[in-house]
Each structure stands twice: as structure tokens, then as C-alpha cells.
Amino acid sequence: MVVVVAAAVAVAALKRLAPQRPWGVLLAALLVGLLVQFTPLNQSASRALQDAQLRHLAPSTAATDAVVFDIDDASLAALKPHFGAWPFKRDVYALAIDLLRDLGARAIAIDLLLADSQPGDAALAQALARQGAAVVLAAAGLGHAADDAAALGAGSVSAASLPASSPTSPPTSPPTSPAPAPAYRWPTIALPAASVWPANAPLRLGVITSPLDDDGVLRRLPLWHEVGGRHWPLLSLAVADAAAPSAPLPPPLLDAQGRLHLAFPARQAWPPVRAFSELALAALGQQDSTALRAAVQGRAVFIGSSALLADAVMTVNGQASGTVALAQTYSALQSGTWVRPPAAWASAALLLLGLLPAGATVWRGRPAPRQDLALAALALLLGAGLSLAWLSSLRMAMPWAAPLAAMAAGLAASLFIHQRQQQTAQRALAHALAVAAEAGKAKSQFLANVSHEIRTPLNALLGVAELLASSPLSAQQQRHVQVFRDAGQALHSLINDLLDLSKIEAGHFELDLAAFSLHQLLERMAALMQPRAQEKGLSLKLELAAGLPDGVRGDRKRLEQGLLNLLGNAIKFTTQGGVRLHAWPDDSEPGTLCFEVADTGIGIASSKLDAIFEPFAQADGSVTRHYGGTGLGLAITRNVVQRMGGSVQVRSNPGVGSVFTLRLPLPSGELPAAEPSHQAVAAALAQQPLSVLLAEDNEVNVYIFSAMVQAQPIRLDLAANGLLALDMLRRRRYDLAFIDIQMPGLDGLGVTRELRQLEARSGRLRTPVVALTANAFASDVQDSHDAGCDHHLPKPVSQAQLLGALAQFALVDPLAQVDAAGCGDGSSHTAAAAAPVLDKAAAVQRMGGDAALYRRIAEHAAVFIESWAGSFDAACAEPNPDRAWRLAHDLKGIAGTLGAPALAQAAAALEASLHPGTAALAPDTAALVQVHEAIVPVLVALSQGASQAAP
Ligand code: ADP
């Protein structure tokens, strides 16, 4: 009960104190230690270890100062003819006492409670009164039920059978008060019958009952007993007094309860035990007593009985008879081989050692279970050493329960706090992670919002710039517009990079897997980058290994993004030599392809090879100044490639060049059937104007859009918000609808969903929907497809993309204007204004990627175009209609070859207005003006070497 309460208190204290301070550990250890120390727990829990110490202290050789005569079963049988059945006539004790005195015994103890009168009592009383060795008779403390049961040396007398009224004040010797030590109190005491009291002589009495430990083992005996204010010595002590009345023993060290601690020996070291019959028969003169003399002379003789109601007592060394125990106690008192009770200071020292680990926790300021365990082991070793030293030098057997309990409590508390602290730390970490994740999400959301806000006006700027570029401009104006567009494009790609990276970092990254033509992709990329390389006088080579598959399955856009980034860097950081894009299948791993972008540029210091893949990292601070860039490209590339299950590596040699290698799993894939050719679409053109709806809330975007499709045979209706758009779509069927996704109120996806439901309900012909959005991620594309959109155009939408969508979904032929290759046939009837000035990349591609060839052609073409106006005027003035037609025809062809579609178209229109051989016909003035207008920007573009990327 006490233990449970204490444990509860300890746990409660720990819970309150522990999480904050390690003091709780020490407190718990101390509490538990003290609790064990000052309760019976200490004894019972320490028993095994303490008994081992007691056995170690027990004498190993038999005592020579005492001898026991045991009335055993054999003695009973042997003496029955002489002294009757048990209990004997008491003459036998009188005879024995007389003989023992004759044989030279020092003192005689009769460890039998002679409480009732028996025949022969008078003889015994007379023997007691005679001169000679003193005789001590037994008295028994009575009244404690438990003790009565285990009454030591109660012999054949059952406590319950004793007369209640024993004589109260027999004459005793020696005087017993004042008692030298705390005495064990008995309610009552059983004394020998008055019939055996010696007349006119002191009666020596010794108490033979003794309380045992609660496990029934005899380890300690009270030296003094108290009944009704009178003190009585233990039988062994009374015998010691009787044996040497003139030389009292040095007082033994007793415990606080006045108990003598014993180390009881094993049987071989007991005092000698002889049969009582030997003594009695010698006393009767029936046996020779010579041998007895040797055994008895100079010794204290204890007569007791192990027969009948066996008087056995349990010791740390096994069972012994009560008489042997008393004799052995006498011997221990004589020889000083008793055991010193554990001293308070020694217990305190051990307890302190037990508190060592807990103390260290306080000292350290935090629990550290491993170190605490090591300290506990050290404390145990120290304690064991001390304990052994005290055992051998002081004969002191220490109880170990309290220090061990304190140590265990300290360790447990330390572990408990450690775990709680770890849990707290883990919770804090989880919280921090959650906060960080939340912050990351908020950041990417913020970035997405901001970039949307930036893109909207930027789209307007880029759109207007595109419109401006395709209007008739002076050379200087062309240059200004070009700067305007380049800057806008750079800003646009930076924003895309930022958004891309933040999306990737926030985990919003999906792969858009589909089969595509790898060869076409690589060739297109090479063609796209060719002008940039050329501009810097670098070669750009594309090498496709023999076994490289064409149809593969993967995320085409992401692969393109990664490779374009590497190619862009390679060209940017190279001033001499060239760049090579090499692709080959990885033979060691089927389905894996390798792409290598090698340059002969400035290279990268080996110490920077890892850093350049970090966001915003550049090889050195001067890179931005010299080359521009943000340091985002490689970070995105690596992220993207890793998410595709691939890797990117770099080798570099500063001053020599760099090689970036991508390894990507790109399994073979079935290529989708080719889309209908532009010509086929054109052939299927409907002649009447098409009805097109534009749902867009931004006025500038509406203006740009309208301007871009102005020349098309379409009727454009406008809706300024989603609800309006839906209303208009309900009223009539459009051939095509362009719907902005981000609109206030009902957004574009909502409009499309409603439209699809409407069509399903009414069975109306389906209106193709092209979604317009600032976002271009796979998830956005997927969302618009899920909503029922047919196509997705990311803003800023170029004119070419718009016309492409018209061609694909509404069967308008915008192609004559965007396809420079097809412009020479003169079939177009729409304005040339929308076509790019000089689509060099497409032209180079048509020349098999041979940029040098293009350069040579361009040089000649520039000379031809520069002088064309003069030549044409001359031909008209001559008049030489054939030559004029020829000049128009050649201009159309050359412009087509160069990739100048607007010029090619204008020339084609002029050519059509002239008929070879018909000298009379003058050229169509409008067509001629258009040619003149188209020539200027082409010449500017050629003179700048500027490129205009293909849409
Ligand atoms: P950016 O090119 O915008 O600076 P990147 O992330 O693409 O950002 O590249 C990071 C840095 O790595 C560059 O600034 C440059 O220092 C270095 N680097 C990348 N590619 C090359 C290359 N081919 N040759 C030399 N240095 C390179």
C-alpha cells in the first residue's frame, strides 16, 4: 500500500517537474530511495544479497566454548527404563547437573521450559542450590501470536498449555535492571514451576523465545526482553553471564531495536552436539564419563530437545535446532563473531551512490540515458567495493534495496524525460515541417498569383509588339520593336522559370506522357537554336545515333525544356568553336536514352560543378554581367529530369568546354497518325465567314485578338464575362469559341462544362472550344480537357498559334500566312501583315540544318532584294513585261527560300497581276505597294542577322 502511494506520488511529481527540469529525476530517485530505506521493504528486498553476506561472515569452524546435549529420539528410547516416558522425571536433570559440574562445565543451560510440576522437581531444586557451575533455566516470552508459534526453544511445551498465572517474581540473578539496551516487550512470560526453584539460592533465567524475521528466518535476536517493567536476558546472554560472572563481555553492537545480528554457520561449524542419553547414562554410572569430560570441560553446556515436537529454527545456513541456535549465539557473544548491524552512515553512502546517475542528469541539465547507464554501472562497482570492504573490515552486511531502487528510479525517470523530450522535439519538428510546407504552398500560390498578374499586361505588350512588328515600319522602328519584343520575351521566360521552379518545389508537378517523334523534336530544336549559334559564328551539330528510336513515350515538352536549356547555355557560354547535340540509346539499359550537349566554351571550375544545379547559382558573380541569366535553368532542368526518372551530369574543363549528359527512360511508343496536312485543311475551307466567339474580360487582350484575326474571313462576337459567353453560346451555335479560363464570375471551365451539357441535352452540333490561359502546366491542360475543351493555348498567344487553332478547329486557312514554305503558290487572299518578317529557323531547317548554306544564300538574296525595286521599275519603264513578271516571280521564290513569308506573299500577288508576254498590262499598284512595304523589314532583318523564331 505504502509502495503504491509512494509510487503514485513519485509519478505525479515527475509529471509536474520532469518535462521542465531534470531536477525531477533526482527528486524521483531520492523519493524512491528514502521510501525503500525507511520501510520494511528495505529488509525484505535486500534479503538475498544480505544473506549471502551473512553466509560469508559465518564461522567456518565449530565453536569450542559450547556443547549441546540433545534429547533426541534415541535418547528418549534409551532413558525410558530409567526416567519414564517423556516428560522425564526431573531427577535426570539433577543427576546431569551434578555430573556436569564434576566434569568441569563452565555453565549449564537447560533449554526446556519446566513450567509445570513434575516428579523429581525437588531433586532438581536441590541440585540447582548446590555449589558449582551455574545453571540457567528457560523462560518463554508469550503473547505475540506469531512469535508464540515460532517460539524458540519452547521444547515440548505448547504455549497455549501454559498456566495463565505464572509466578510473578521469582528470585533471579544477576539483577536485571537497568537494561543496557532496548528490550523486546512481551505481554506475559512463562517461568519454570515454583517446585524447581532452588531454596535460598538465586534462580538464573534466560528467555528462549525470539521473534523471527517475517520470512521465518532467524537472523537477529533481542538480547533483552521486557515483561511488565522487568527485564530478562536472552538465554545465551544469561549463560554468558553465568560462565564468567567476574569478567563481563564487551557489549556487542546492537541495532536500534536492541537486536544482536548473527551470521549463523553451516552444520559442520555448529557447536558439537551429543546425545543427552550419553550424559544421563554416565550420570547413572552406567557409562564411562572419560570421553564426556573432554567434551564438557571448560565449556558452556546446553541441554535441549529436538525430539517429539521438533524445535527447529531456520537460519541463513539451513535448519538447526533451537538449542544449537542458542548455543551458537552464546559462542558468538563470547568470541565476538556477531555481525555489526548496517550503520546509518554506510546506508547513506550507498544511497548517495544510487543517486549518482540522477545527480549527473541534474548536473548536465538534461537526461542522457546512455551516460546515465554508464554512471550507474560505475556507482554499482564503487558500491560493491565499499560493501566488500565493510564486510571484511567491519563485519557489516549491507542492505542494497534502497540504493538499487534509487538508481533504478533515477534511470527510469531519466529515460521517461528523455522520451518525453524526444516526443516534444518530434512534435515541434512535425509542426515546423507543417508550417514550412504551408509556407511553401503559400509561396507558390503567391508566385502563381503574382506571375499571373504580371503576365496579363505582359501578354498585352507582347501581342501589341507582334502586331506592330507586322505593320509597315521604318528600319529604325523595326529595330525598336525588335528590342521591345526581345525584352518582353526574356521577361516572359523568366516569369515562366520562376513559376515552374516554385511549382516543382511545391510538388505540383505532373508529367504529361504521350508518344512523340523524337527525331522531329531534336531536329526542330536544332533548327530553333541554329540562328543563335550562327549569330555568334558557332557551329551547331545534331548527331543522332544509328539505333536511336523515333517514336518514344515521355513528356515531350519537359524533354524539350531541358535540352533547350542546355543548348541555350552551351551557345551562351561559348565564343569559339561549336556546340554538339548527340543522342544515342543506352545499350546497358533498354528504354533509356542519352542526350549529350557538348560545347567548346568557357567551361566550369570543378568546385562549381555541384553548385550550378542549385537555384539562382551561377559559376561566378560575373556571369550575369557578361552573359545574363538568372541561374534557374539548370535547377529546373535537374528537377524536371529527376522527376522523369532520369539524371543529369556534367563534365567540364575550364577554358576547354563543358559536356552535359541527360539519361532518361524513354521507352518506345507508337506514333499517333499524322494530322491532316495544312493543304488538306485548306482544301476543305468553307467559303462563308465563320462565326467565332471570344470570351475574354481583358480589353487589351480583346483588342490584340481582334487585330490578329482581323484579316480572316470570320465574324467575331465578343463576351466580356463567363455568364455573357454562356448566354451567347446558348442562343446560337458558333463554329469555334476561344474562352479565357480566368474570368470573374463564371470561369472558362465552367462555361465549357455548361456548354457541353447543353449540347448533350439538345443534341446540337458540338462547338469546338479553345481554352486561353496564363498557365501552361500539365494539370491546367488536363483540367481544360476534363471540362470539355478541345485545345489549350497558353498566353501570350502568338498570331500563328491563333491562326493554327482556327485552321485546326474551324477550317479557316490561315496557313498561307504562317507557312513560309507554302507561300510561294500565291493562293492566299488574306493580308500579308500577319506573317513573320524572316523565319530563318524554318528556312535553315528546310536546308537540312545547313546554316552556312543559308548564310551564303542570304548574302546573295540581300543584294538581289536591295536592287529589286530599281530593277522592277526599270523593267516596267522599258516596258519589259516578261522581265517584270520574272522579277516578281524570282522575288517570291527567294523570299520563300529565305523564310520571309510576307514578302513572298506580296511578291506572289504581284506576280499574279502580271502576265508574261502581255506587255500592255501594268502591274497591280496595290500589290506593288505591298511588295515595297514587305521588302524593308526583310532587308533590316537580313542586315541585322536577326532571327525570328518560328511559331
Ligand atoms: P543561367 O544560365 O540563367 O545563369 P543556369 O542554371 O542555366 O542559369 O546555369 C547556371 C550556371 O551554370 C550559369 O550561370 C553558368 O555559370 C554555369 N553554366 C551552365 N551551363 C554552362 C556551360 N555550358 N558552360 C559554362 N558554364 C555553364
Side-chain angles (χ1 to χ4, degrees):
M1 183 63 193
V2 184
V3 180
V4 172
V5 170
V9 170
V11 167
L14 232 136
K15 277 195 168 169
R16 275 199 71 77
L17 286 170
Q20 292 85 26
R21 270 157 261 137
W23 276 104
V25 176
L26 187 58
L27 192 78
L30 190 65
L31 214 70
V32 171
L34 292 179
L35 195 101
V36 173
Q37 179 72 37
F38 293 108
T39 55
L41 261 179
N42 196 22
Q43 285 312 322
S44 48
S46 298
R47 228 154 239 162
L49 203 55
Q50 225 176 350
D51 283 355
Q53 298 176 61
L54 291 178
R55 280 193 287 273
H56 172 77
L57 290 179
S60 52
T61 51
T64 54
D65 45 13
V67 61
V68 173
F69 284 99
D70 182 22
I71 306 173
D72 54 6
D73 291 323
S75 298
L76 287 184
L79 298 179
K80 195 171 179 185
H82 307 282
F83 302 103
W86 182 261
F88 293 142
K89 283 189 244 156
R90 293 201 174 126
D91 313 30
V92 68
Y93 306 121
L95 287 173
I97 289 168
D98 287 342
L99 177 60
L100 287 170
R101 283 176 173 152
D102 279 352
L103 295 177
R106 279 183 81 180
I108 302 159
I110 300 189
D111 178 21
L112 298 163
L113 186 60
L114 311 175
D116 52 343
S117 297
Q118 290 282 336
D121 280 356
L124 176 55
Q126 283 165 15
L128 292 177
R130 275 195 283 276
Q131 288 290 314
V135 179
V136 180
L137 294 187
L142 295 174
H144 298 298
D147 298 327
D148 288 349
L152 175 68
S156 58
V157 182
S158 130
S161 70
L162 284 170
S165 57
S166 300
T168 49
S169 52
T172 54
S173 174
T176 53
S177 63
Y184 188 86
R185 284 168 189 273
W186 294 99
T188 164
I189 193 162
L191 298 173
S195 45
V196 302
W197 298 0
N200 307 321
L203 175 65
R204 290 175 182 271
L205 285 176
V207 176
I208 57 172
T209 42
S210 191
L212 304 177
D213 285 346
D214 55 12
D215 61 344
V217 175
L218 178 74
R219 295 185 186 85
R220 10 184 219 185
L221 286 158
L223 274 194
W224 290 93
H225 301 258
E226 188 202 323
V227 183
R230 285 196 61 181
H231 288 80
W232 313 80
L234 178 72
L235 182 81
S236 309
L237 180 62
V239 173
D241 274 345
S246 52
L249 292 169
L253 270 172
L254 305 180
D255 66 17
Q257 286 78 39
R259 291 172 301 192
L260 180 73
H261 289 223
L262 287 171
F264 203 83
R267 179 174 283 270
Q268 70 272 9
W270 284 359
V273 179
R274 306 180 86 97
F276 180 70
S277 55
E278 191 187 347
L279 178 62
L281 291 175
L284 283 174
Q286 294 191 357
Q287 271 189 17
D288 179 48
S289 61
T290 325
L292 272 181
R293 179 177 297 278
V296 165
Q297 197 163 33
R299 302 187 186 200
V301 175
F302 287 76
I303 298 170
S305 168
S306 68
L308 297 172
L309 294 166
D311 150 37
V313 62
M314 185 52 79
T315 75
V316 295
N317 258 320
Q319 211 172 37
S321 79
T323 313
V324 167
L326 286 170
Q328 174 61 34
T329 306
Y330 163 82
S331 179
L333 281 169
Q334 288 290 347
S335 59
T337 54
W338 35 266
V339 172
R340 184 181 170 129
W345 56 263
S347 295
L350 284 191
L351 190 59
L352 277 179
L353 279 177
L355 292 173
L356 195 65
T361 301
V362 174
W363 176 265
R364 207 187 294 119
R366 68 187 163 78
R370 275 163 185 258
Q371 295 177 28
D372 289 351
L373 265 179
L375 266 176
L378 186 73
L380 276 179
L381 272 176
L382 261 172
L386 277 179
S387 210
L388 278 175
W390 296 333
L391 196 66
S392 51
S393 64
L394 304 177
R395 297 183 56 78
M396 185 162 67
M398 291 303 300
W400 266 87
L404 284 180
M407 193 177 279
L411 287 177
S414 156
L415 203 68
F416 174 76
I417 295 183
H418 184 71
Q419 278 184 342
R420 273 185 77 126
Q421 284 181 345
Q422 281 200 327
Q423 279 170 0
T424 313
Q426 271 166 3
R427 270 200 297 272
L429 191 66
H431 178 70
L433 280 177
V435 168
E438 207 46 52
K441 258 194 210 161
K443 185 189 93 176
S444 65
Q445 189 57 46
F446 170 78
L447 256 173
N449 290 344
V450 165
S451 75
H452 174 70
E453 294 305 321
I454 297 175
R455 270 193 230 220
T456 307
L458 190 61
N459 292 345
L461 294 177
L462 283 172
V464 173
E466 193 173 342
L467 287 174
L468 205 57
S470 52
S471 66
L473 296 173
S474 72
Q476 197 186 25
Q477 284 170 327
Q478 281 275 355
R479 272 200 302 277
H480 290 170
V481 172
Q482 192 57 40
V483 170
F484 189 26
R485 296 179 76 187
D486 287 349
Q489 294 289 2
L491 191 54
H492 189 249
S493 68
L494 171 63
I495 290 166
N496 279 348
D497 275 359
L498 275 174
L499 189 64
D500 221 15
L501 191 68
S502 79
K503 280 227 173 189
I504 292 171
E505 281 181 347
H508 303 169
F509 179 91
E510 301 111 77
L511 290 176
D512 183 12
L513 299 180
F516 63 92
S517 160
L518 181 64
H519 291 205
Q520 221 175 58
L521 174 77
L522 296 176
E523 278 155 12
R524 203 175 93 89
M525 274 186 329
L528 199 68
M529 300 310 277
Q530 195 74 43
R532 269 206 235 173
Q534 236 169 347
E535 227 169 80
K536 296 185 73 176
L538 304 174
S539 66
L540 172 58
K541 286 198 198 115
L542 173 64
E543 282 175 25
L544 307 185
L548 189 75
D550 185 19
V552 294
R553 201 179 147 69
D555 190 328
R556 186 184 60 80
K557 271 197 183 163
R558 293 300 188 176
L559 174 61
E560 188 176 12
Q561 182 183 17
L563 285 177
L564 280 181
N565 190 21
L566 295 182
L567 282 172
N569 278 349
I571 295 172
K572 183 161 81 171
F573 295 107
T574 305
T575 45
Q576 266 182 358
V579 174
R580 191 184 65 134
L581 170 57
H582 180 200
W584 73 97
D586 186 346
D587 291 334
S588 63
E589 221 174 309
T592 296
L593 305 183
C594 300
F595 303 90
E596 191 178 273
V597 177
D599 66 51
T600 54
I602 60 171
I604 304 159
S606 57
S607 60
K608 303 284 181 191
L609 287 179
D610 286 334
I612 55 170
F613 289 99
E614 297 301 325
F616 302 107
Q618 297 184 318
D620 72 71
S622 62
V623 165
T624 318
R625 250 178 292 129
H626 290 308
Y627 304 95
T630 54
L632 286 176
L634 286 180
I636 293 175
T637 302
R638 185 177 61 173
N639 264 307
V640 163
V641 167
Q642 280 176 350
R643 273 157 219 253
M644 288 197 281
S647 62
V648 53
Q649 269 159 359
V650 57
R651 291 173 277 136
S652 187
N653 210 341
V656 178
S658 312
V659 180
F660 286 81
T661 311
L662 292 190
R663 285 184 84 252
L664 269 186
L666 280 177
S668 300
E670 188 85 3
L671 284 178
E675 287 175 6
S677 74
H678 293 324
Q679 278 73 13
V681 174
L685 269 183
Q687 285 309 304
Q688 77 274 29
L690 294 165
S691 58
V692 173
L693 174 71
L694 171 66
E696 165 70 76
D697 61 320
N698 185 304
E699 278 177 29
V700 182
N701 285 345
V702 171
Y703 167 74
I704 294 169
F705 188 99
S706 313
M708 282 181 173
V709 299
Q710 187 188 359
Q712 299 302 321
I714 62 174
R715 219 196 80 197
L716 185 66
D717 285 356
L718 299 171
N721 60 50
L723 283 174
L724 222 64
L726 187 61
D727 188 48
M728 292 165 78
L729 284 165
R730 271 203 194 104
R731 280 171 209 262
R732 61 162 296 184
R733 183 190 171 271
Y734 284 90
D735 293 318
L736 178 61
F738 287 91
I739 301 183
D740 183 26
I741 294 300
Q742 278 127 332
M743 282 188 295
L746 186 61
D747 71 7
L749 299 182
V751 173
T752 312
R753 273 192 285 267
E754 293 281 337
L755 171 65
R756 294 295 175 239
Q757 282 174 13
L758 175 84
E759 287 166 348
R761 278 200 304 272
S762 64
R764 191 207 263 187
L765 214 62
R766 200 172 186 278
T767 295
V769 173
V770 175
L772 302 175
T773 165
N775 305 329
F777 293 99
S779 60
D780 304 313
V781 177
Q782 190 59 47
D783 285 350
S784 51
H785 274 287
D786 291 348
C789 299
D790 300 84
H791 194 51
H792 182 107
L793 287 182
K795 294 182 190 174
V797 182
S798 70
Q799 188 177 32
Q801 283 173 318
L802 263 191
L803 300 183
L806 272 171
Q808 191 174 347
F809 296 99
L811 298 180
V812 173
D813 177 25
L815 303 157
Q817 296 145 56
V818 289
D819 188 348
C823 69
D825 62 13
S827 64
S828 169
H829 55 275
T830 49
V837 173
L838 192 60
D839 192 350
K840 220 160 155 186
V844 171
Q845 199 180 358
R846 281 194 299 277
M847 292 173 197
D850 190 343
L853 173 65
Y854 180 89
R855 224 176 16 250
R856 283 198 303 280
I857 292 174
E859 277 165 20
H860 292 293
V863 175
F864 171 75
I865 296 171
E866 247 174 335
S867 58
W868 185 89
S871 310
F872 189 79
D873 284 351
C876 287
E878 270 180 31
N880 187 345
D882 277 355
R883 179 159 166 68
W885 177 84
R886 183 81 236 167
L887 280 168
H889 180 82
D890 286 350
L891 184 61
K892 180 191 80 177
I894 286 172
T897 311
L898 277 182
L903 180 56
Q905 269 167 33
L910 182 63
E911 179 197 11
S913 73
L914 298 166
H915 297 278
T918 323
L921 218 68
D924 176 24
T925 327
L928 188 58
V929 169
Q930 275 196 358
V931 169
H932 280 300
E933 277 176 4
I935 278 180
V936 180
V938 171
L939 280 177
V940 170
L942 282 174
S943 70
Q944 287 173 341
S947 67
Q948 186 137 4

